[in-house]
Amino acid sequence: MRSAWLTLVAAALAYAAAPSFRGCENKVKDSLHGVPQGWVQQAPAPQDQLIQLKIALAQPSAHELEKHIVEASDPAHERYGQFLSKEEAHELMAPEQGSVDIVREWLATHGLGEEHLYNSAAGDMVTIRVPVAVAESMLDTKFHVYTHAASGDSAIRTTAYSLPELLHDHVSFVQPTTMYARFKPMRSTMHFAGGVKATLAAGSVKSAAGQDVDASCNDEITLSCLQQLYNFGDYKPSTNTTLAVTGYLEEYANNADFQQFLGDDSANFTTTLVNGGKNDQDPSAAGGEANLDVQYAFGVAQPLAGTFYSTAGTPPFTPDKNEPTNGNEPYIDWLDFVLNQTSLPSVISTSYGDDEQTVPVDYAQRVCQGFQTLGSRGVSVTFSSGDSGVGDGSSDPSSTTCIANNGTNAIKFLPAFPASCPYVTTVGATQNVPEVAASFSGGGFSNIFARPSYQDDAVSAFLTGLGDTYAGLYNASGRAYPDVSAQGVNFDIVLGGSHTGVSGTSCSSPAFAGVVALVNDARVAAGKATLGFLNPLLYGAGAGAFNDITSGNNPGCGTEGFSAGTGWDPVTGLGTPDFDKLKTVALDN
């Protein structure tokens, strides 16, 4: 295999340009102002190191996808709830044949034939595995090994790449090249390790909605606490509605822990392996993130069937093996897989992300479009909002970690991605009873995506009250998040056979997703479609179905961050769900 790739290197470096590319100059396709903060350039990448690259082809019908989801998610539109099939979605995702042909011709000039290409189900993405030397020739760049100082993670990246000018209208991006995102779990802390649990208070306290809730829920959150807080304890699902959570970075969900958590030896969930993913059931391999997600998403929605998607990939890279490096851009692989399925879950929760500015704009837009496509097929997509408040989680005025990577080195709030995508429902965190904002709850305004119309009234009201506070630190016209919130502190989970506590918006997203699955079940039982993309309903008729959280803030970037208040805010969104009210709204629309 090694000699075959070295032969390819020689062929690629000595190719004669195909007629279409003769005299065609290279033009920069993407570039950074410098090495992103926190990353350090090391040695040049080994020339024979294999790397995996994804070439995204232009999608001329993407605007039709957007039109469809706007109509299908608007309760006032006649097409509300009319979702696309897999085939219909693929047709709108597909590139023009001319784009396919010119990209194949370009790849052939570098010694890459059909046997070297993997095409996505819709044909809009081509994946190649090539030695660094070939990639450098193709992209007119130099790759280096970069190390992330805080985590020790390494990656092969560049700060700029070029393509023949002829390709620019046909290729949206080639990644990971200029992408420095690490896509980490949105989990802030773990404690109670070794099975040592907190001393639980007795008696009851009042929730924000005035309901009696066990006082112990101020010490740790359990399924019973969520049932009491969010008013779904008496609901009994009656359909085959399903839900799912995603797992990355070799986070494995342990079934024995799941059964112990629920106290039910017959409890189970389905594991679907994506792109070579695994789900090691050795107790020592159980992942805190994965266990948290399945135990609370599927626990809230029990007995609805749950699926755990395990997508391959590990964050570190050791540049001494002749095998493909981990691209650490798992969303494209996962989206390609799931969008090629005929039947999909009614709701999918993900608790991973990173700073938006570490993600190239074109990549972020394509991934967000993938979530948009899921919504157009009837899937509600939820994401954790992040655990760093408005940036780095620090209110210390001397904090200098929130630096814009646009060349100005200005202090800026740092929004998270995919939390900032306007086609997902982003979930922030609360704590205590009655609920207040958790200080780590991620929230803010996108620098990539414009504010969607469904948010205009709610966000404009917040901005009017904010006035000039933090002017220049955030993009007031950007997509605002979170959309909603749920408890996110001291969740009791089972990990490796022992109880431990977990905090973070990683807790909030699966908990909220479980509630949405129950609402979808009620709609299906009534002969209606699942909700699909949630936000237009939530910001409209559904706004009154949430417990408004009016206390707390989310510090970061040397500030106290935004403050929770009456109505929507970029700490807790619209608030936490009242299942009974949300079900009523969903059935009335």
Side-chain angles (χ1 to χ4, degrees):
M1 175 63 75
R2 185 182 182 91
S3 61
W5 281 115
L6 290 176
T7 300
L8 176 59
V9 173
L13 295 179
Y15 76 88
S20 296
F21 294 96
R22 287 176 185 158
C24 182
E25 295 185 359
N26 285 341
K27 180 181 177 182
V28 174
K29 181 65 176 175
D30 190 33
S31 64
L32 305 178
H33 290 276
V35 179
Q37 184 183 22
W39 290 87
V40 180
Q41 180 178 303
Q42 307 293 347
Q47 291 291 285
D48 64 346
Q49 178 73 47
L50 296 183
I51 59 175
Q52 180 170 290
L53 298 173
K54 293 189 181 297
I55 305 165
L57 278 61
Q59 298 172 310
S61 298
H63 63 286
E64 290 294 332
L65 269 173
E66 183 175 12
K67 178 177 181 291
H68 180 87
I69 196 170
V70 167
E71 296 174 351
S73 60
D74 179 1
H77 199 279
E78 62 181 2
R79 294 187 61 212
Y80 180 60
Q82 297 180 23
F83 302 122
L84 298 175
S85 67
K86 177 184 77 172
E87 292 75 18
E88 289 169 335
H90 280 178
E91 184 176 351
L92 296 179
M93 295 166 62
E96 292 182 340
Q97 187 59 46
S99 295
V100 174
D101 293 342
I102 195 69
V103 168
R104 284 178 178 172
E105 183 179 355
W106 171 62
L107 292 173
T109 66
H110 290 274
L112 297 169
E114 285 298 313
E115 69 275 16
H116 299 118
L117 314 181
Y118 171 78
N119 298 297
S120 64
D124 61 323
M125 192 77 61
V126 179
T127 301
I128 59 174
R129 292 181 176 184
V130 295
V132 165
V134 174
E136 290 182 340
S137 175
M138 293 174 64
L139 303 176
D140 192 16
T141 190
K142 292 293 182 183
F143 285 95
H144 285 77
V145 176
Y146 291 85
T147 301
H148 187 257
S151 67
D153 293 350
S154 294
I156 289 179
R157 295 290 188 270
T158 184
T159 55
Y161 72 93
S162 299
L163 293 173
E165 191 167 6
L166 184 63
L167 286 179
H168 278 236
D169 289 339
H170 300 281
V171 174
S172 298
F173 62 78
V174 181
Q175 293 293 350
T177 48
T178 55
M179 184 172 68
Y180 287 77
R182 296 187 301 119
F183 295 116
K184 54 188 180 291
M186 298 301 197
R187 185 180 66 244
S188 62
T189 57
M190 296 187 70
H191 44 90
F192 305 160
V196 179
K197 298 179 69 175
T199 301
L200 304 182
S204 64
V205 289
K206 294 290 186 181
S207 71
Q211 299 167 310
D212 286 329
V213 176
D214 293 342
S216 63
C217 298
N218 267 316
D219 298 318
E220 71 173 21
I221 293 296
T222 62
L223 287 178
S224 176
C225 292
L226 297 179
Q227 289 172 340
Q228 296 170 65
L229 282 164
Y230 303 144
N231 198 23
F232 62 88
D234 295 331
Y235 182 76
K236 305 299 181 186
S238 61
T239 73
N240 293 324
T241 303
T242 61
L243 71 160
V245 298
T246 62
Y248 300 104
L249 310 182
E250 296 190 348
E251 277 275 343
Y252 303 138
N254 187 273
N255 189 251
D257 286 346
F258 181 65
Q259 293 173 343
Q260 181 180 337
F261 174 78
L262 292 180
D264 181 357
D265 291 342
S266 66
N268 207 340
F269 57 86
T270 299
T271 297
T272 298
L273 306 181
V274 181
N275 197 32
K278 302 176 182 178
N279 196 34
D280 190 340
Q281 290 300 292
D282 188 303
S284 65
E289 181 64 55
N291 273 13
L292 163 67
D293 290 344
V294 301
Q295 287 170 21
Y296 276 89
F298 304 161
V300 166
Q302 62 181 312
L304 297 181
T307 296
F308 173 64
Y309 291 110
S310 180
T311 302
T314 56
F317 157 67
T318 304
D320 59 3
K321 298 178 181 178
N322 191 44
E323 58 186 36
T325 66
N326 170 43
N328 201 17
E329 42 76 56
Y331 298 126
I332 292 290
D333 286 331
W334 179 79
L335 282 165
D336 181 40
F337 174 86
V338 76
L339 286 172
N340 198 35
Q341 307 307 303
T342 301
S343 298
L344 295 173
S346 76
V347 57
I348 302 175
S349 171
T350 299
S351 295
Y352 295 76
D354 202 355
D355 293 343
E356 184 186 71
Q357 70 171 3
T358 66
V359 184
V361 171
D362 44 19
Y363 177 88
Q365 290 170 336
R366 180 61 66 94
V367 169
C368 187
Q369 184 188 82
F371 299 135
Q372 175 194 88
T373 306
L374 278 175
S376 74
R377 292 192 56 193
V379 180
S380 303
V381 181
T382 71
F383 266 88
S384 298
S385 70
D387 293 348
S388 300
V390 295
D392 62 359
S394 173
S395 59
D396 182 352
S398 65
S399 173
T400 58
T401 59
C402 297
I403 305 296
N405 66 356
N406 57 8
T408 65
N409 291 325
I411 300 294
K412 293 282 188 180
F413 290 168
L414 301 180
F417 179 82
S420 63
C421 170
Y423 294 104
V424 306
T425 300
T426 302
V427 189
T430 62
Q431 64 183 79
N432 300 339
V433 185
E435 292 176 278
V436 299
S439 62
F440 55 76
S441 184
F445 300 80
S446 174
N447 291 315
I448 293 178
F449 302 102
R451 183 198 308 156
S453 59
Y454 62 74
Q455 284 193 315
D456 276 342
D457 290 346
V459 175
S460 294
F462 171 82
L463 293 174
T464 297
L466 184 65
D468 293 335
T469 304
Y470 303 141
L473 293 181
Y474 69 97
N475 174 26
S477 63
R479 185 282 204 255
Y481 73 94
D483 301 299
V484 297
S485 53
Q487 285 278 329
V489 175
N490 292 354
F491 272 50
D492 176 47
I493 69 169
V494 175
L495 181 64
S498 297
H499 285 269
T500 191
V502 183
S503 295
T505 54
S506 277
C507 305
S508 312
S509 183
F512 180 74
V515 172
V516 174
L518 295 178
V519 176
N520 277 328
D521 173 82
R523 278 183 58 89
V524 172
K528 296 176 178 286
T530 55
L531 289 169
F533 177 44
L534 295 170
N535 295 3
L537 175 68
L538 301 187
Y539 281 88
F546 289 84
N547 307 309
D548 194 9
I549 310 303
T550 59
S551 298
N553 59 296
N554 56 352
C557 304
T559 76
E560 293 300 321
F562 297 112
S563 296
T566 302
W568 179 90
D569 56 71
V571 190
T572 62
L574 296 168
T576 60
D578 183 315
F579 168 75
D580 199 52
K581 292 180 180 178
L582 190 57
K583 174 170 67 74
T584 298
V585 170
L587 292 176
D588 287 346
N589 286 276

